[in-house]
Amino acid sequence: MNATTTSLEPLFSALSYSYTTIETTFYKIPGSAVVARYVKSSHRNDPGRTVLEIILIIFAIRTLLQSRTRADNSGKHFITFDEKEIDELVDEWVPESLAAPLTEREQYELDNMPVIAGPTGPKPKLTNGKTVVNLASYNFTGLAGNEMIKEKSIEALEKYGLGSCGPPGFYGTQDVHIKLEEDIADFLGTESAIIYSQAFSTISSVIPAFCKRGDVIVADRGVNFAIQKGLQISRCTIRWYDHNDMNSLEQVLESTEKERRKKKGPLTRRFIVTEGVFDHDGTMSDLPKLVELKYKYKYRLILDESVSFGSVGRTGRGLTELYNVPALQVDMLVGSLANGLTACGGFCAGTRVVVNHQRINGTSFVFSASMPPLLSVVASIGISILRSTPSILNTLQDNVRAVRAVLEKVDCIYIPSHPASAMIHLQVRHPPPTHLLPASSSHSASNKLSNPASPSPRDPEQFDGELEERVLQEIVDEALTQGVMITRAKRLKGQELTEVRPSIRLAITAALSKKDCEKAASVVKAAFIKVVGKRR
């Protein structure tokens, strides 16, 4: 025994020395004392737990060290296919569809879409040979088909050709583009203006050109899809206020500032984003109140006048003219050249600093081909006509009042649009229960605030979207058979932030007489009564 013990003493000494060295090294590691206390306590209270943890540690180390793949080079576990079997499997494979198949109703709408043969205008001819009254196109000023515009367009086409074949910053800018920008700035009363070749991408480029991550945007819950995409691209902190509710806007502005002070956050750029006339329902913003709140809380205002420019105001200048607000009090005034000026594209008007920044930071301006020069000429002529012929807007407003006078008396029709809006939305007015009434009646019952961080209101309007769309489409079809072309307001389901109540959208034009408008409104009225009456 003594001999055995003597022979093992060097081994015990080595183990003791190694243990002492490991222990000394371990305790030099920051936090090692905490781990040691945990292990001792765990072992003393539950030795079995220590064994389990050692097993788990060993398993984890083994998993990390082993190969990620267990390739069997011998191939004995693989199924072998011959060339014929491989070809059969490839032939049988069916790839997943890129999109869901169209529903029966969607296919019906595509198959029965009215197609205009020849030029558009107040009374176009369809491919089926029928001439209809057009209340679907955004031809507010009635300039589509104007003979002088046609002649000037032909001259511009012969002089400049069709397209520019390049973005504005890369040899795509021509003298007529510069002239149009000057005409827009002078017409609106701003320092400068910039034109984009597509109306939809204008506002969705303007917003991210100025609003970046960390900035704050307070936006109306009812803004159109183009604005929604611009907000999404900007990656800003978004706060929402109830649709066209100035009290809600002020409360959100106050709460946003309180939140910043509470968190001791830095001062950042802050913007209010809204529309002049809302595309979703035709309601109109209170521009004087917006400007008042903008100055009170130190925000910049981005106003999308895509619908109101060319349709509102004494000469079509939009809300700034209607409310007698200087255009320079709106930091970024965005509009469409397609609706009121029968051209295409959009614009942003403001100070020279605002405009010049977009020339190098506006994605749609920098990367898209510039507007065809003949359309720039058309837009400039359109502005000249609006300047010299204010009676166009008087006629337009007379027609709007005539149409509303016929439709407002119908029990089954609800019109949410502002009385001055040339775009009139018609919704189905349901009898009680009240949860199917327009949103304005449901919101008034509650004074509690919606969550500013959510695009959805606290008490969203309740409606059966599928049912109402079917009813409205039947009304559209019935009106078309009677010679009046109207359309449902189309939405992108599943892509917009909130679901908008279905409606029929009328676009009133100055090119029709008051009598024509009254007759067309009577046809729409009869279609509503006939279709809705069958379902009651």
Side-chain angles (χ1 to χ4, degrees):
M1 253 331 257
N2 291 335
T4 304
T5 303
T6 302
S7 62
L8 292 176
E9 278 184 2
L11 177 61
F12 292 150
S13 298
L15 290 175
S16 177
Y17 176 77
S18 299
Y19 174 77
T20 303
T21 304
I22 293 173
E23 183 180 22
T24 302
T25 305
F26 174 75
Y27 279 107
K28 290 180 180 179
I29 301 174
S32 57
V34 177
V35 176
R37 273 200 313 272
Y38 169 76
V39 172
K40 290 178 181 179
S41 175
S42 176
H43 180 73
R44 181 171 60 249
N45 298 331
D46 188 2
R49 179 179 174 182
T50 303
V51 175
L52 178 60
E53 289 180 348
I54 292 173
I55 294 173
L56 289 175
I57 291 172
I58 294 173
F59 177 76
I61 294 173
R62 178 178 176 275
T63 302
L64 291 173
L65 295 179
Q66 73 178 2
S67 174
R68 294 291 181 184
T69 58
R70 297 181 178 178
D72 185 359
N73 295 329
S74 65
K76 62 181 180 180
H77 297 298
F78 290 94
I79 300 175
T80 304
F81 295 98
D82 57 28
E83 291 296 327
K84 182 180 179 181
E85 290 173 325
I86 293 174
D87 291 339
E88 289 176 352
L89 289 173
V90 171
D91 292 338
E92 293 174 1
W93 178 72
V94 178
E96 184 179 351
S97 177
L98 290 175
L102 296 178
T103 64
E104 183 178 347
R105 182 174 60 82
E106 291 171 336
Q107 189 62 55
Y108 170 81
E109 291 180 18
L110 288 178
D111 294 339
N112 293 274
M113 183 182 300
V115 179
I116 296 174
T120 187
K123 294 183 179 181
K125 186 176 182 180
L126 304 182
T127 51
N128 60 9
K130 188 173 186 178
T131 299
V132 295
V133 175
N134 186 359
L135 294 184
S137 301
Y138 281 161
N139 182 26
F140 299 130
T141 54
L143 296 180
N146 181 283
E147 290 301 324
M148 183 178 71
I149 289 179
K150 284 183 181 180
E151 293 174 4
K152 295 296 182 181
S153 299
I154 294 172
E155 293 176 8
L157 180 62
E158 293 174 345
K159 179 178 180 180
Y160 294 98
L162 185 57
S164 59
C165 297
F170 297 92
Y171 310 105
T173 299
Q174 295 170 273
D175 56 350
V176 289
H177 296 140
I178 301 299
K179 183 180 185 304
L180 175 57
E181 292 177 343
E182 293 172 349
D183 290 342
I184 292 171
D186 183 62
F187 184 60
L188 293 174
T190 60
E191 291 182 5
S192 187
I194 182 173
I195 57 173
Y196 290 78
S197 56
Q198 189 185 45
F200 180 89
S201 61
T202 302
I203 187 66
S204 57
S205 294
V206 170
I207 292 175
F210 296 93
C211 312
K212 307 296 182 183
R213 190 190 298 275
D215 295 339
V216 176
I217 292 178
V218 178
D220 190 295
R221 284 189 166 89
V223 293
N224 60 52
F225 187 62
I227 294 179
Q228 294 175 26
K229 299 309 291 183
L231 299 177
Q232 180 184 1
I233 296 169
S234 72
R235 299 175 296 177
C236 290
T237 300
I238 311 296
R239 293 292 179 263
W240 304 90
Y241 66 93
D242 290 336
H243 178 42
N244 206 23
D245 187 336
M246 295 299 101
N247 292 328
S248 174
L249 170 59
E250 185 164 15
Q251 290 167 348
V252 173
L253 295 176
E254 289 178 352
S255 64
T256 301
E257 179 60 17
K258 288 179 181 178
E259 180 183 358
R260 185 194 68 81
R261 290 178 178 177
K262 183 179 180 180
K263 295 181 179 180
K264 298 181 180 180
L267 284 172
T268 60
R269 290 174 294 190
R270 300 179 292 185
F271 302 85
I272 298 173
V273 178
T274 188
E275 294 181 71
V277 171
F278 288 87
D279 183 65
H280 281 168
D281 58 10
T283 55
M284 185 181 294
S285 292
D286 185 349
L287 183 58
K289 187 65 175 179
L290 284 169
V291 172
E292 175 190 333
L293 294 176
K294 163 203 158 178
Y295 284 118
K296 181 178 179 180
Y297 293 95
K298 307 298 185 293
Y299 275 69
R300 293 180 174 92
L301 176 60
I302 302 177
L303 182 66
D304 185 357
E305 291 218 66
S306 293
V307 176
S308 50
F309 178 76
S311 66
V312 172
R314 190 181 68 85
T315 58
R317 288 175 169 88
L319 264 65
T320 55
E321 184 176 45
L322 180 69
Y323 288 110
N324 196 28
V325 174
L328 285 175
Q329 292 186 2
V330 180
D331 298 274
M332 279 152 271
L333 204 161
V334 180
S336 169
L337 300 171
N339 298 341
L341 300 180
T342 191
C344 80
F347 67 87
C348 178
T351 64
R352 291 185 179 86
V353 172
V354 165
V355 168
N356 290 336
H357 178 77
Q358 293 176 68
R359 296 193 191 280
I360 56 174
N361 287 280
T363 52
S364 181
F365 182 85
V366 172
F367 296 109
S368 296
S370 58
M371 182 188 303
L374 72 90
L375 292 177
S376 297
V377 172
V378 166
S380 290
I381 296 173
I383 291 175
S384 177
I385 292 174
L386 292 181
R387 283 179 185 272
S388 60
T389 320
S391 60
I392 290 177
L393 274 297
N394 293 333
T395 302
L396 176 61
Q397 288 302 315
D398 287 343
N399 289 346
V400 169
R401 286 189 288 269
V403 170
R404 291 183 68 102
V406 173
L407 298 177
E408 285 176 337
K409 301 175 183 177
V410 185
D411 292 338
C412 59
I413 296 178
Y414 172 69
I415 303 177
S417 307
H418 189 276
S421 172
M423 181 182 64
I424 302 175
H425 283 259
L426 309 179
Q427 298 174 351
V428 177
R429 186 195 296 274
H430 294 275
T434 57
H435 69 276
L436 289 178
L437 290 178
S440 57
S441 61
S442 62
H443 289 317
S444 60
S446 174
N447 293 323
K448 294 184 179 180
L449 297 178
S450 302
N451 179 11
S454 171
S456 300
R458 181 181 180 276
D459 298 314
E461 183 181 9
Q462 301 299 316
F463 53 85
D464 188 338
E466 290 290 336
L467 174 61
E468 292 196 12
E469 284 188 353
R470 287 198 298 272
V471 171
L472 294 175
Q473 187 58 46
E474 289 182 26
I475 295 171
V476 169
D477 295 339
E478 175 65 23
L480 187 61
T481 62
Q482 302 301 320
V484 178
M485 185 168 67
I486 57 178
T487 181
R488 284 190 299 109
K490 302 300 176 65
R491 316 291 181 204
L492 293 176
K493 289 187 177 180
Q495 297 189 48
E496 301 212 21
L497 294 176
T498 57
E499 186 177 3
V500 181
R501 185 168 185 179
S503 63
I504 285 176
R505 189 205 68 213
L506 305 183
I508 312 303
T509 175
L512 291 171
S513 67
K514 182 178 178 180
K515 186 176 181 180
D516 287 334
C517 290
E518 289 174 339
K519 286 183 178 179
S522 297
V523 169
V524 175
K525 170 185 173 180
F528 258 92
I529 294 174
K530 179 179 179 180
V531 174
V532 177
K534 289 190 303 184
R535 295 178 174 269
R536 288 186 172 176

